[in-house]
Amino acid sequence: MFNYAEKTTVKTQYLNAEALLRGDRRNVQKLDLLIIISREAVVYGSGSLSSGPSVLASYLESHGHSVFILDNNSAYTEYSDKKILQLIGDNKIGVVGFSVNMLNAASSYKLAKKIKEKFPKQIVSAGGLHTFDEPEEVGKQSFDISFVGEAEISLNKFLKLAKKEEGPIDSSLFGDTKFIDSLKLIPGIIINFENKLLNTGPYEIIKDLDELPIINHELLNVKDFILTKTDHHTVTTSLNFQRGCPFKCTYCKADFMGGKLRSNSADYIIQTIKHVHEKYGQTHFTLIDANFTVPRPRLIEFANKMIETGLSKKVTFWIQTSITASVSDENLQLLKKAGLIRISFGVERFTPEFREKMKKVGTQEQVFNVLKKIKENGIMTEINILVNFPYETEKSLEDESKY
């Protein structure tokens, strides 16, 4: 487990992130990995910083690799492909990686192809949700290697292996059969070798999430996202402390997160909130665990420590959880005292027919009872509703609107 004091004072050792982007190369050294998050479809919106790559970069930095993330989804700044190509050409970058999802897949593939055409020797890799959903589609693009699922362990092993090579770290490594044989021993990757895709099998997961360092925002182009204090809401104060999910809703991709539920400890959560509060002066947090009230002992310990440390007098927070993960009146009051002001539920639909089709646990009656109980305890509620399923009809929408 990491030392919490060390995690709250972590600083990038390798480069000045803003200098890298703005073209001031005086503080820039060789970069092991540049992660690019291409711009997503405008229908989805922009301005929100991706947390997954941020956690990945912080983990890799803690293992001795120099990493930087260029997230091109700021509402204020957009980097052209030409600018990104210039950035790659002006700096010594070992690996250029893409975090690919459904909404930025096309733009990621387009830019990856441009990089390969302009810099044939450049190693280009892919990771992200889309490598889990469509590994073959991603693998057939302009990527030398793809990392499927959670990539902390596999990417760390790959970078260590590449850096052990005596020659330059470039795409020629993927023509070396000895290097390829070593790569095959790393679970969770897809290698593009001689126009064939070599899949090394299921990826490894971090079983103890407290092994992860607190996110180091100095590894991102964070200034492109924050111009006002409220901008922190989608950047530094939306925090996740959980992976996996015990439920099997048909519309969800929780299996991407390693299936079995894993959670950070209450101490880790407290230290992270304290770190962001002290560094950025933020006083409200959105804890985006899919089921924050599970496991229950962690929830109670967290609430008590928020009160004991005095953080409850400095910050407030929102959580989300399942309707079936009900909380007693006593515990709701404890959470309220700890700083909780709102609980969000993925109700998705009220009608029993749709809840059954979605394999959504919990009955309509449970939904209403839980929402009523939380309101009676003086805590705000928020619900999510999903529409436009493949089996959606005008009548089903009309029935839903009655609620």
Side-chain angles (χ1 to χ4, degrees):
M1 183 180 294
F2 276 79
N3 179 281
Y4 291 125
E6 290 178 357
K7 284 193 285 188
T8 56
T9 57
V10 67
K11 292 183 179 180
T12 178
Q13 306 170 40
Y14 303 97
L15 55 89
N16 179 303
E18 293 306 310
L20 177 64
L21 282 172
R22 311 306 171 197
D24 178 0
R25 300 184 61 208
R26 287 173 298 176
N27 297 321
V28 179
Q29 299 179 27
K30 181 180 178 295
L31 190 63
D32 294 326
L33 173 65
L34 171 66
I35 300 175
I36 298 173
I37 307 175
S38 295
R39 203 162 186 84
E40 296 177 349
V42 69
V43 292
Y44 183 75
S46 59
S48 179
L49 202 65
S50 300
S51 62
S54 308
V55 174
L56 174 63
S58 300
Y59 176 86
L60 293 173
E61 190 211 24
S62 73
H63 282 73
H65 307 296
S66 53
V67 187
F68 178 63
I69 299 175
L70 171 54
D71 191 330
N72 205 12
N73 289 281
S74 166
Y76 304 117
T77 304
E78 180 176 359
Y79 294 94
S80 66
D81 287 355
K82 182 179 179 181
K83 176 65 177 176
I84 296 174
L85 289 169
Q86 180 185 342
L87 185 153
I88 295 170
D90 288 346
N91 296 277
K92 295 180 179 180
I93 299 173
V95 180
V96 174
F98 283 81
S99 179
V100 185
N101 59 52
M102 183 182 70
L103 296 170
N104 74 7
S107 57
S108 297
Y109 300 160
K110 181 181 176 182
L111 179 55
K113 184 178 180 181
K114 288 182 179 180
I115 293 171
K116 272 297 186 183
E117 289 173 346
K118 191 173 179 65
F119 309 107
K121 292 282 190 179
Q122 178 67 61
I123 295 177
V124 182
S125 69
L129 280 168
H130 214 51
T131 61
F132 183 84
D133 290 331
E134 299 291 340
E136 288 194 7
E137 176 193 302
V138 176
K140 290 177 181 178
Q141 307 301 320
S142 304
F143 303 114
D144 298 294
I145 185 171
S146 301
F147 297 86
V148 181
E150 296 178 26
E152 284 93 354
I153 296 176
S154 57
L155 190 46
N156 177 39
K157 288 183 176 180
F158 167 72
L159 289 174
K160 285 185 175 180
L161 181 64
K163 288 159 72 174
K164 282 182 180 178
E165 295 297 310
E166 294 182 0
I169 300 177
D170 61 32
S171 60
S172 64
L173 290 174
F174 291 88
D176 183 339
T177 54
K178 184 179 179 181
F179 181 76
I180 295 297
D181 287 341
S182 297
L183 276 186
K184 290 178 183 178
L185 301 177
I186 302 176
I189 62 176
I190 296 177
I191 310 162
N192 198 331
F193 179 63
E194 295 182 346
N195 296 318
K196 294 181 181 179
L197 299 181
L198 307 179
N199 192 323
T200 64
Y203 59 92
E204 297 177 271
I205 63 173
I206 295 177
K207 296 179 180 179
D208 180 5
L209 296 187
D210 279 10
E211 292 179 10
L212 297 169
I214 290 175
I215 292 177
N216 179 5
H217 289 98
E218 292 181 20
L219 301 179
L220 301 99
N221 55 313
V222 70
K223 288 186 180 179
D224 289 330
F225 288 80
I226 300 176
L227 292 186
T228 69
K229 191 173 182 179
T230 56
D231 289 333
H232 278 273
H233 177 63
T234 56
V235 181
T236 62
T237 63
S238 292
L239 304 171
N240 180 65
F241 300 104
Q242 198 172 74
R243 296 183 185 183
C245 183
F247 305 113
K248 302 294 181 182
C249 303
T250 58
Y251 56 84
C252 187
K253 289 303 300 180
D255 51 348
F256 170 82
M257 300 183 288
K260 187 177 179 182
L261 185 69
R262 290 162 288 147
S263 303
N264 286 112
S265 66
D267 281 333
Y268 185 100
I269 301 171
I270 294 293
Q271 290 297 329
T272 302
I273 292 175
K274 181 174 181 288
H275 165 69
V276 176
H277 168 66
E278 292 178 348
K279 184 166 185 176
Y280 299 106
Q282 294 304 295
T283 57
H284 178 70
F285 294 81
T286 303
L287 310 185
I288 59 176
D289 296 23
N291 298 283
F292 192 83
T293 60
V294 181
R296 193 57 48 83
R298 181 191 76 150
L299 177 72
I300 305 306
E301 183 183 0
F302 164 73
N304 283 323
K305 289 190 173 182
M306 283 289 291
I307 297 168
E308 293 167 6
T309 59
L311 266 179
S312 59
K313 296 180 180 179
K314 301 174 182 177
V315 305
T316 57
F317 60 93
W318 295 356
I319 63 172
Q320 59 182 2
T321 194
S322 167
I323 283 290
T324 59
S326 59
V327 183
S328 67
D329 290 325
E330 180 184 357
N331 288 339
L332 284 172
Q333 286 302 309
L334 176 65
L335 286 165
K336 185 178 179 181
K337 185 177 179 182
L340 176 65
I341 60 175
R342 178 179 293 186
I343 303 179
S344 175
F345 294 97
V347 173
E348 317 314 355
R349 297 300 280 260
F350 284 100
T351 55
E353 177 188 2
F354 261 75
R355 293 186 67 80
E356 184 178 348
K357 286 182 177 180
M358 297 157 53
K359 295 186 179 180
K360 192 69 183 175
V361 296
T363 65
Q364 184 189 90
E365 183 181 7
Q366 279 181 296
V367 172
F368 289 129
N369 288 340
V370 169
L371 294 176
K372 180 182 177 182
K373 179 169 70 171
I374 293 171
K375 183 177 180 181
E376 289 173 346
N377 278 276
I379 298 171
M380 292 186 288
T381 58
E382 177 184 71
I383 62 172
N384 300 321
I385 298 293
L386 295 178
V387 297
N388 291 335
F389 283 89
Y391 38 83
E392 194 80 78
T393 65
E394 288 187 17
K395 185 179 183 304
S396 66
L397 288 172
E398 183 180 344
D399 291 342
E400 194 68 29
S401 66
K402 295 176 183 178
Y403 297 100

